[in-house]
Each structure stands twice: as C-alpha cells, then as structure tokens.
Amino acid sequence: TSSVTVMEAQEQVQASVTEEQNGFTQLEQGLDTFLAMVIQTTESRLRAARDKFAEQKKKRQQARDEVQARISELLAEAARQEDECAESLYSDFVQGAEFVNQEL
C-alpha cells in the first residue's frame, strides 16, 4: 500500500505541475494577446498622428503659397501704379516745359 500511495502522490504532483504549466501557458497567451492589442493600437494612433501632421504641413504650405502669390500680385500692381505715376509726372513735366517754351 505504501507504493500505491507514493504513486498516487506522484500522479497528484504531476497533475498539479501540469495544471500549473497550463495556467502559465494561458497567462502567457493572454499577455501576448494583450501586448499585440497594445502594439496595434499604438501603431494606429501613430499613423493617425503622422497623417494629421502631414495634412497640417500640406495646409501650411498651401497657405504660404497663397500668401506668396498675393505678395507677387501686390508687387506687380505697385510696379504698374508706379509706372503710371511716372508716366503721368513725365507727361505733366513735358506739358509744363512746352508751356514755358511758348511763354518765352
């Protein structure tokens, strides 16, 4: 009977060890699943942040381009007005010179 008891005890110990190993395996699988979800969520958030940053960068560049285009338009208009003013002043000067010449 003593050997049966030892064999039963060994079987119980083996069953406990197997049960504990199964528990660790389930825990490990659960942690792997959890970490995979954390990684997936983090990657998704990083992609969203990267996309948002790229969109903001694109909008800033468009705004810069629009401002630069408007500056170019204003400079062209200022140059045109400057030319008109110079032509008008020159015309006035010529008319004044002709008037002076006629009076002399």
Side-chain angles (χ1 to χ4, degrees), residues 44-83:
S44 176
R45 288 180 180 171
L46 286 173
R47 276 192 300 276
R50 182 195 63 212
D51 293 346
K52 184 177 180 181
F53 177 78
E55 184 63 30
Q56 289 174 343
K57 184 178 178 182
K58 182 179 175 183
K59 286 180 181 180
R60 284 192 302 271
Q61 185 59 48
Q62 287 174 340
R64 276 190 215 102
D65 293 346
E66 290 172 7
V67 167
Q68 189 60 44
R70 183 66 180 138
I71 288 171
S72 295
E73 290 172 5
L74 291 173
L75 289 174
E77 178 63 19
R80 186 187 63 73
Q81 289 179 3
E82 184 180 20
D83 290 345

Side-chain angles (χ1 to χ4, degrees), residues 12-104:
Q12 287 177 352
V13 167
Q14 185 59 41
S16 293
V17 168
T18 301
E19 187 178 326
E20 196 170 311
Q21 286 174 340
N22 289 340
F24 281 126
T25 300
Q26 287 177 349
L27 178 62
E28 186 178 28
Q29 289 171 346
L31 286 173
D32 287 346
T33 301
F34 173 75
L35 288 176
M37 289 184 339
V38 168
I39 290 169
Q40 184 179 14
T41 301
T42 302
E43 288 174 343
S44 176
R45 288 180 180 171
L46 286 173
R47 276 192 300 276
R50 182 195 63 212
D51 293 346
K52 184 177 180 181
F53 177 78
E55 184 63 30
Q56 289 174 343
K57 184 178 178 182
K58 182 179 175 183
K59 286 180 181 180
R60 284 192 302 271
Q61 185 59 48
Q62 287 174 340
R64 276 190 215 102
D65 293 346
E66 290 172 7
V67 167
Q68 189 60 44
R70 183 66 180 138
I71 288 171
S72 295
E73 290 172 5
L74 291 173
L75 289 174
E77 178 63 19
R80 186 187 63 73
Q81 289 179 3
E82 184 180 20
D83 290 345
E84 286 178 2
C85 184
E87 289 174 9
S88 176
L89 286 174
Y90 180 74
S91 175
D92 290 348
F93 173 75
V94 169
Q95 286 177 359
E98 288 174 354
F99 177 77
V100 169
N101 283 338
Q102 286 177 2
E103 293 298 316
L104 293 178

